[in-house]
Amino acid sequence: MNLNIPINGSADIIVLLLVFIALLFGGRAFLSFFRNPQAGEKKRNRRATDRKQIVLSIDGMMCGQCEAHVKEAIRKNVPKAKGLRADHMEGRAVFSLEEEMPSTELRRTLEEAFEPMGYRLLDLRKDEGSR
């Protein structure tokens, strides 16, 4: 097999060298993924189980704009809330906290935030280790 690849000067050599280096590092990154794929999964699962999921039942949400208002109030009053979701059809909002916050304090904070907007917190439930 005869490979006749014309190389025209130093610019071609530099380009070929850069392509070779990119393939070398790209290949190493690709292979490193397959060496221990469970390592990233274990770390991700451990992080998810450290969180406390908070499920709120809220009265008064009628539309998507209500969902936005509720989420904004939660973000403002519970700044450590992560993964915030609200659903006006189910009348609930869900978020997770990495740090423990007493239920009574959380309930009081959210009731005070929702009341001026016309929403009412019906129930607050904590699910341990959920995402």
Side-chain angles (χ1 to χ4, degrees), residues 15-26:
V15 168
L16 288 173
L17 186 60
L18 290 173
V19 168
F20 174 75
I21 290 171
L23 288 174
L24 180 69
F25 285 114

Side-chain angles (χ1 to χ4, degrees), residues 56-99:
L56 307 174
S57 294
I58 302 169
D59 182 40
M61 286 196 298
M62 301 294 184
C63 62
Q65 191 64 37
C66 295
E67 293 172 3
H69 290 148
V70 165
K71 291 193 304 188
E72 182 180 339
I74 293 171
R75 279 190 199 102
K76 191 177 198 179
N77 292 283
V78 186
K80 298 201 184 252
K82 302 287 183 208
L84 183 56
R85 298 182 314 270
D87 187 341
H88 72 278
M89 298 296 281
E90 295 180 10
R92 60 183 234 170
V94 179
F95 61 93
S96 59
L97 290 174
E98 291 179 5
E99 297 177 10

Side-chain angles (χ1 to χ4, degrees), residues 89-128:
M89 298 296 281
E90 295 180 10
R92 60 183 234 170
V94 179
F95 61 93
S96 59
L97 290 174
E98 291 179 5
E99 297 177 10
E100 183 65 30
M101 186 173 183
S103 293
T104 54
E105 179 184 343
L106 185 58
R107 177 181 283 277
R108 184 178 37 81
T109 300
L110 292 173
E111 284 175 345
E112 290 173 359
F114 294 156
E115 186 178 335
M117 299 187 312
Y119 306 113
R120 191 174 65 171
L121 181 62
L122 300 175
D123 188 36
L124 183 148
R125 187 179 78 237
K126 288 185 179 183
D127 292 339
E128 301 293 321

